[in-house]
Amino acid sequence: MANKGLKICLVLSFLFLIILTAVVVTLFLTIFKPKDPNITVRPVGLENFNLSLLTNLTANVSLGMVITMENPNYGSFEYPKATGYVNFDDSIVGEVPIEGELVPARDQIAVNTWANFMVEKLVTDTKFWTDVLTGSLNFTSTATLPGKVHMFKIFKLKATVYTTCDFSINITSRNLDNKCISRIKL
């Protein structure tokens, strides 16, 4: 009789584990599936940006910016200090230091930083002056943020966020149009 009760208990325990595993796997493949972050970049002080600074090849031109990172996931994302790069016509013309941060789950943060432009590389590119004459400068910035995803303060998974932003600066109106694409890879 006790042997029959033990068999029933084992079968029920096994069924419970199968159902629990199915529920956990379903949740991780649907609700907890990693979603790409939303990243926007806004320049600060673009109205004070003076194109005449670019005639001095040894000048160091910095452009302040605010990077807003929105995390739509149920896990927080933590990344260390990193560097982004600004490209003009397929050559690196600037660097953007990005301080390490924790982006809370289903929340957003704003990171203040700046882009340091290498003026000599920029103004010696013949396409730069062509773009200046047309009134619009086009840049591409890229950043790779390796870090960790913290799920429920129990699970820690390695992840990397890859971001590419296309910028277009209208010289006369000092307006900036940008479009950022980000993806996360676990």
Side-chain angles (χ1 to χ4, degrees):
M1 192 75 141
N3 200 11
K4 185 177 179 183
L6 182 62
K7 286 180 182 179
I8 291 174
C9 182
L10 286 174
V11 168
L12 289 176
S13 296
F14 184 70
L15 284 175
F16 176 75
L17 286 175
I18 289 175
I19 291 171
L20 182 65
T21 303
V23 168
V24 168
V25 167
T26 302
L27 284 175
F28 272 96
L29 292 177
T30 56
I31 294 175
F32 299 130
K33 180 181 176 186
K35 297 167 192 73
D36 292 333
N38 299 320
I39 296 177
T40 56
V41 178
R42 288 182 297 119
V44 177
L46 188 60
E47 61 279 354
N48 299 326
F49 188 74
N50 190 350
L51 194 60
S52 65
L53 289 172
L54 299 179
T55 58
N56 181 357
L57 295 181
T58 61
N60 181 17
V61 177
S62 296
L63 179 62
M65 57 181 57
V66 176
I67 302 171
T68 304
M69 298 181 206
E70 181 184 350
N71 181 3
N73 295 301
Y74 285 93
S76 61
F77 179 69
E78 185 175 18
Y79 62 92
K81 186 176 181 179
T83 302
Y85 297 97
V86 179
N87 298 303
F88 181 80
D89 196 30
D90 294 328
S91 63
I92 296 174
V93 295
E95 292 184 350
V96 181
I98 303 170
E99 288 298 319
E101 294 278 345
L102 173 75
V103 186
R106 304 187 56 79
D107 202 354
Q108 70 179 17
I109 63 166
V111 177
N112 295 314
T113 189
W114 59 92
N116 294 318
F117 287 94
M118 299 171 216
V119 176
E120 185 175 2
K121 280 181 132 179
L122 190 59
V123 297
T124 55
D125 190 328
T126 55
K127 191 172 183 318
F128 172 76
W129 294 108
T130 306
D131 283 1
V132 168
L133 293 175
T134 62
S136 179
L137 293 173
N138 299 308
F139 297 98
T140 301
S141 71
T142 57
T144 301
L145 303 173
K148 291 184 181 177
V149 174
H150 302 274
M151 295 287 292
F152 308 115
K153 299 182 182 179
I154 298 172
F155 303 109
K156 290 183 184 179
L157 304 169
K158 288 184 180 180
T160 304
V161 174
Y162 300 95
T163 302
T164 302
C165 295
D166 293 320
F167 296 95
S168 180
I169 300 174
N170 186 313
I171 296 171
T172 54
S173 67
R174 309 243 190 240
N175 287 334
L176 175 91
D177 294 324
N178 68 9
K179 178 182 168 188
C180 294
I181 299 172
S182 301
R183 59 186 170 86
I184 190 168
K185 181 179 177 187
L186 293 177

